[in-house]
Amino acid sequence: MSSVVVVGAQWGDEGKGKITNALCSDADLVVRFQGGANAGHTVSLDGVPIVFHLLPSGISVPGIQNVIGPGVVIDPIALAVEIAGVTERGVEVGENLLIDVGAHMVLPYHKALDAAEERARGQSAIGTTHRGIGPAYADRCARDGIPIGALAAFDEFRPRFEEAVARKNKHITRLYGEQPLDAREMLEQLYPVAQTLARHLADTPEMIREAIRAGLNVLFEGAQGTLLDVTFGTYPFVTSSSTTAGGVAIGTGVPPSMIGEVIGIAKAYTTRVGAGPFPTEVTDDTARMIQERGAERGATTGRARRCGWLDIVALRYSIAVNGIKRIIVTKLDVLDSFETIKVCVAYDIDGRQTDCFPRTADELGRVNPVYVEMPGWMSVTKEARHESELPPRALAYLNEICRLADVDLCSVSVGAKGEAIVEFTSVF
Ligand code: IMO
Ligand code: MG
């Protein structure tokens, strides 16, 4: 089948944007199905990095139809800024971008509430990106949200927005003791944004289904990662959407039976931004080396990412939840100068060894990782473009992690450049 889901197999930042962008030469459609401007997908454009938050990573590739599906929550102001930014970089954003009318909006009060809720959580803060994601999805579920299609009739949107602001201001002032938001000011900001976005609004589910029926190559670009899924992640230290392959069906209107393959993206090690358990986290020189070599800083918030070794227990869990048969390993080059590389193969929980990923964050917080050690390859991999150009020990590492995770290898990314990929099997 011609539809492929690219899903993060860890805690996000696996390189989904780069991979999606790289696969565009064979794709016709790229569809975002969940998340919002909390995503930070770094893609190389003419050799210079560019970060997409809401725009699908196919936007810079001519001839690709990009869709922001109904499962995404869209901050219209952030999207307009992003469109202006990429346009400045010479990328044309016209008919190649469709925004589904049913995608809910992240409005300024959602961002204010996200920040206020985080402050109120104190020590138990989740470490959100403050992009208003949780409050926007909560409003959608509570039937209090506003779909982006509403911007097309601004005169009708205006009173609906004013009424929402009046109610949210009660929360903001009475519950959190903060300053109320000014509806008029926000409407002034939203009006030109509505004009910019109006021409992209569309009814997209049938269009995507038809593309799949017609045999076009459709790529679903996941945001965040499996372990941040609101149901299957390390709750409550998760995001508020279904980041797993199942999210495609509910976030695009494409039924599970029309989804072809699910490809998992995993770094050759692990990172996490924000709070929550992370069994293989390291905090010594190793962490600093990974952080520096991998430029492990959040593309959305600029926060330093927590770093650690590859966790096979977590990876196997992701593979099971998503139905992943092939993985793409990214950032292999970051491990180039390690004499020894550790891989977590099991967890020790209260003296008992297991290879099952715990279902509660509390239990996950108590595990001790059981490691095997592998010799590093101590040579540069970033110029490799073919399997034969990878050092034997790097190949051994890749083979071993695939054996342990019981998954096939699709390709390996060895650098930030778009072409820095070694392909083992092709995606489409
Ligand atoms: P990409 O698509 C890594 C994390 C935040 C926080 C938690 C909840 O680039 O992989 P939220 O703002 O979503 O309510 O924050 O989720 N988080 C991410 N971590 N990569 C992302 O996106 C993330 N999006 C959210 O750090 O821990
Ligand atoms: Mg990211």
Side-chain angles (χ1 to χ4, degrees):
M1 184 142 7
S2 62
S3 70
V4 168
V5 186
V6 165
V7 78
Q10 294 158 325
W11 276 284
D13 302 321
E14 299 91 348
K16 300 172 291 290
K18 175 195 160 155
I19 297 301
T20 301
N21 189 265
L23 292 174
C24 277
S25 50
D26 295 320
D28 299 293
L29 234 76
V30 175
V31 184
R32 274 280 305 269
F33 57 94
Q34 45 70 229
N38 49 348
H41 294 182
T42 310
V43 160
S44 170
L45 178 64
D46 304 325
V48 182
I50 184 163
V51 183
F52 299 127
H53 300 286
L54 281 158
L55 289 170
S57 296
I59 200 74
S60 60
V61 183
I64 299 281
Q65 182 64 64
N66 294 272
V67 179
I68 304 180
V72 176
V73 285
I74 303 173
D75 176 341
I77 299 168
L79 180 56
V81 168
E82 202 175 328
I83 291 174
V86 299
T87 307
E88 217 164 88
R89 293 277 304 265
V91 174
E92 204 177 314
V93 182
E95 282 171 8
N96 58 340
L97 175 67
L98 296 178
I99 304 168
D100 192 83
V101 288
H104 274 237
M105 279 190 281
V106 176
L107 290 159
Y109 49 77
H110 292 124
K111 290 166 77 174
L113 283 166
D114 192 356
E117 283 164 8
E118 278 286 87
R119 276 193 288 274
R121 283 184 193 112
Q123 288 294 313
S124 335
I126 294 160
T128 76
T129 58
H130 288 203
R131 295 298 186 272
I133 306 300
Y137 276 116
D139 269 1
R140 189 181 79 167
C141 281
R143 282 110 0 131
D144 259 341
I146 308 181
I148 198 161
L151 289 183
F154 207 80
D155 284 341
E156 285 159 41
F157 167 72
R158 197 185 301 272
R160 200 170 164 187
F161 179 72
E162 283 167 341
E163 191 259 340
V165 172
R167 281 199 291 134
K168 298 297 178 188
N169 269 342
K170 286 185 190 161
H171 288 226
I172 291 167
T173 57
R174 294 186 199 168
L175 210 55
Y176 298 112
E178 300 195 5
Q179 290 301 310
L181 302 178
D182 183 340
R184 195 168 348 137
E185 218 171 83
M186 289 185 281
L187 281 165
E188 268 168 31
Q189 205 180 0
L190 284 163
Y191 183 74
V193 164
Q195 311 304 305
T196 305
L197 301 185
R199 67 180 179 137
H200 301 287
L201 295 175
D203 177 359
T204 66
E206 179 53 20
M207 190 214 105
I208 307 169
R209 288 189 294 263
E210 188 48 35
I212 298 173
R213 279 186 215 113
L216 297 181
N217 290 336
V218 179
L219 209 55
F220 294 98
E221 178 183 10
Q224 291 79 50
T226 301
L227 304 174
L228 289 172
D229 184 279
V230 68
T231 312
F232 299 102
T234 50
Y235 194 92
F237 303 102
V238 293
T239 189
S240 298
S241 65
S242 297
T243 62
T244 41
V248 170
I250 55 170
T252 64
V254 169
S257 57
M258 288 180 96
I259 296 169
E261 191 182 350
V262 182
I263 295 193
I265 316 293
K267 272 180 189 165
Y269 48 95
T270 313
T271 63
R272 173 164 205 173
V273 207
F278 177 3
T280 61
E281 180 171 19
V282 285
T283 48
D284 55 8
D285 278 352
T286 305
R288 210 165 325 121
M289 262 172 88
I290 295 178
Q291 207 178 76
E292 271 167 29
R293 304 208 73 226
E296 294 297 354
R297 198 156 277 284
T300 299
T301 58
R303 290 178 289 178
R305 295 180 186 140
R306 299 157 65 191
C307 299
W309 299 112
L310 185 65
D311 183 340
I312 298 289
V313 182
L315 185 57
R316 285 178 71 106
Y317 174 74
S318 288
I319 287 167
V321 170
N322 290 292
I324 293 167
K325 296 212 169 49
R326 291 191 291 168
I327 57 167
I328 294 178
V329 175
T330 58
K331 293 194 146 180
L332 183 75
D333 55 304
V334 173
L335 300 183
D336 280 356
S337 49
F338 285 94
E339 260 171 55
T340 305
I341 298 171
K342 289 188 186 181
V343 180
C344 167
V345 293
Y347 291 158
D348 187 304
I349 307 181
D350 309 327
R352 181 176 51 88
Q353 203 159 309
T354 178
D355 57 5
C356 281
F357 192 73
R359 289 299 309 282
T360 67
D362 181 53
E363 204 181 349
L364 188 66
R366 284 188 282 120
V367 311
N368 284 311
V370 177
Y371 287 113
V372 293
E373 291 192 355
M374 293 193 67
W377 44 94
M378 303 292 284
S379 56
V380 177
T381 56
K382 71 176 193 295
E383 302 302 334
R385 299 293 177 268
H386 188 268
E387 190 180 334
S388 62
E389 292 163 355
L390 284 171
R393 282 180 171 172
L395 267 178
Y397 178 71
L398 293 167
N399 285 334
E400 182 61 2
I401 63 181
C402 286
R403 188 190 68 79
L404 289 166
D406 195 16
V407 74
D408 288 331
L409 187 60
C410 181
S411 53
V412 182
S413 168
V414 290
K417 285 189 203 157
E419 66 273 19
I421 289 180
V422 178
E423 191 178 88
F424 286 73
T425 49
S426 72
V427 166
F428 286 110

